[in-house]
Amino acid sequence: MKRQNQSMINEFILTGFSNLGDLQILLFFIFLLVYLTTLTANATIMTIIRLDQALHTPMYFFLFVLSCSETCYTLVIVPKMLTNLLSTNPTISFSGCAAQLYFFVGLACTNCFLIAVMGYDRYVAICNPLNYTLIVSRATCMHLVLASSFCGFLISVVVNVLVFSMPFCASNRINHFFCDISPVIKLGCTDTNLKEKVIFFLSILVLLFPFVLIFISYVFIVSTILKISSVEGQRKAFATCASHLTVVFVHYGCASFIYLRPTSLYSSDKDRLVAVTYTVITPLLNPLVYTLRNKEVKTALRKVLNRYSFPKTV
């Protein structure tokens, strides 16, 4: 009887913003503006780092990769969300939902690991500056980036298998604006308790473990900075870490609120607002923080603009 009450689902309906009525048009233009700004800001960061030799350092190499990853991350979520805001039938195919969840989780996990790697880079630069170029070599940078991506997408494979290997009940309505883990797994017909425990463990691995490592790194960093005799030296050292710390707290804070708790505590309205923050706002925040708070990036931006600006006409 249980099997007869199940149906083959070919597509899902994303009901994330459907209760807002005409406000969806306003949201469309707001999110479109933020999305285009995000693409422009990340493209600007990557272009500056690519063109300015002074930024060809491990710190900015990691920032370049993070900006590239964040751009791909928004491409997975935002275009489909914008399309659905204008649609009277906001659907996504079963395979499309699986692909969206796979790339979303893979890129999100990769970003978490990359931010932790950037913390390690700051630790070596401040606590062991004489051996910095030996420890954080070009080869090491590549290995750390590849390891972050490999681990991120390996975890994503596990999550996708857990979520989409179960049968789904007749309801195909996902109470969200994209295929996230909790809203999709709620549609399962079978007992999902074990799957949820495994996903929760993976969330701890991706969010809590790197955050603890970053915290330990900054304990050593602060201890080292406080030993610097000059106030100006301390200020410069803290300034190099400020941008990274801002990204750490926003990125890990939003993600932890959603994923470091049981699925039973999922609250659609509140969680949807937080999800907008980490899928739409945070990717814009990263390049803005590194541009506005970083003197080297602002100097490089001015140099690039002056180099490629049109000559003045007499």
Side-chain angles (χ1 to χ4, degrees):
M1 283 295 295
K2 191 175 181 181
R3 285 188 176 276
Q4 289 176 352
N5 290 333
Q6 297 171 6
S7 60
M8 181 65 70
I9 292 179
N10 295 317
E11 67 177 14
F12 294 101
I13 300 173
L14 298 168
T15 62
F17 299 113
S18 59
N19 62 325
L20 297 179
D22 292 338
L23 280 177
Q24 292 183 86
I25 303 297
L26 177 62
L27 283 179
F28 170 82
F29 286 107
I30 292 173
F31 290 154
L32 178 62
L33 177 62
V34 174
Y35 178 55
L36 294 176
T37 306
T38 300
L39 292 180
T40 304
N42 278 299
T44 301
I45 285 284
M46 290 187 285
T47 302
I48 292 170
I49 294 172
R50 180 70 181 86
L51 293 177
D52 196 290
Q53 291 289 330
L55 301 183
H56 289 186
T57 64
M59 173 183 171
Y60 293 107
F61 170 73
F62 293 132
L63 178 57
F64 180 95
V65 176
L66 181 64
S67 293
C68 183
S69 181
E70 290 279 20
T71 301
C72 296
Y73 174 80
T74 58
L75 286 169
V76 172
I77 304 295
V78 181
K80 183 62 178 175
M81 180 185 70
L82 291 173
T83 303
N84 286 342
L85 281 170
L86 297 180
S87 174
T88 56
N89 187 28
T91 61
I92 186 170
S93 66
F94 184 92
S95 58
C97 186
Q100 187 180 61
L101 183 64
Y102 170 73
F103 285 107
F104 165 71
V105 173
L107 290 166
C109 292
T110 299
N111 291 345
C112 286
F113 295 139
L114 282 173
I115 292 171
V117 165
M118 293 171 78
Y120 170 72
D121 171 72
R122 290 299 82 209
Y123 162 74
V124 177
I126 292 173
C127 298
N128 198 357
L130 297 179
N131 295 319
Y132 178 66
T133 55
L134 293 175
I135 297 173
V136 192
S137 62
R138 183 184 293 271
T140 302
C141 291
M142 289 300 300
H143 291 155
L144 288 171
V145 168
L146 291 174
S148 298
S149 301
F150 176 78
C151 291
F153 281 93
L154 180 62
I155 290 171
S156 184
V157 169
V158 175
V159 170
N160 251 43
V161 170
L162 289 171
V163 172
F164 290 100
S165 62
M166 63 182 180
F168 291 95
C169 296
S171 175
N172 65 339
R173 301 177 69 85
I174 298 175
N175 193 15
H176 212 335
F177 60 87
F178 72 99
C179 291
D180 203 357
I181 298 171
S182 293
V184 176
I185 210 169
K186 276 179 171 288
L187 303 180
C189 294
T190 58
D191 182 15
T192 60
N193 188 49
L194 179 60
K195 295 175 183 288
E196 290 177 29
K197 286 180 178 178
V198 174
I199 291 172
F200 183 73
F201 170 76
L202 292 174
S203 299
I204 292 175
L205 182 66
V206 172
L207 293 169
L208 202 57
F209 183 65
F211 183 80
V212 170
L213 292 179
I214 293 171
F215 177 78
I216 294 171
S217 296
Y218 272 97
V219 169
F220 287 105
I221 288 171
V222 171
S223 176
T224 302
I225 291 174
L226 292 177
K227 293 176 183 176
I228 299 174
S229 56
S230 69
V231 176
E232 182 64 19
Q234 289 184 356
R235 189 191 65 79
K236 287 183 177 179
F238 277 121
T240 61
C241 300
S243 300
H244 180 251
L245 274 175
T246 303
V247 172
V248 166
F249 284 117
V250 173
H251 187 94
Y252 284 98
C254 292
S256 297
F257 178 82
I258 297 293
Y259 299 107
L260 290 183
R261 60 179 179 161
T263 307
S264 58
L265 297 180
Y266 177 77
S267 171
S268 57
D269 293 335
K270 188 188 297 182
D271 291 354
R272 199 178 303 132
L273 180 61
V274 178
V276 168
T277 302
Y278 67 74
T279 56
V280 180
I281 307 300
T282 302
L284 172 62
L285 178 68
N286 292 347
L288 290 182
V289 165
Y290 276 101
T291 302
L292 297 176
R293 296 185 62 90
N294 192 300
K295 187 177 179 180
E296 289 179 323
V297 174
K298 288 191 286 187
T299 301
L301 177 60
R302 283 193 292 268
K303 284 166 60 179
V304 170
L305 290 176
N306 290 335
R307 187 188 311 170
Y308 292 97
S309 60
F310 291 104
K312 297 180 179 179
T313 56
V314 181

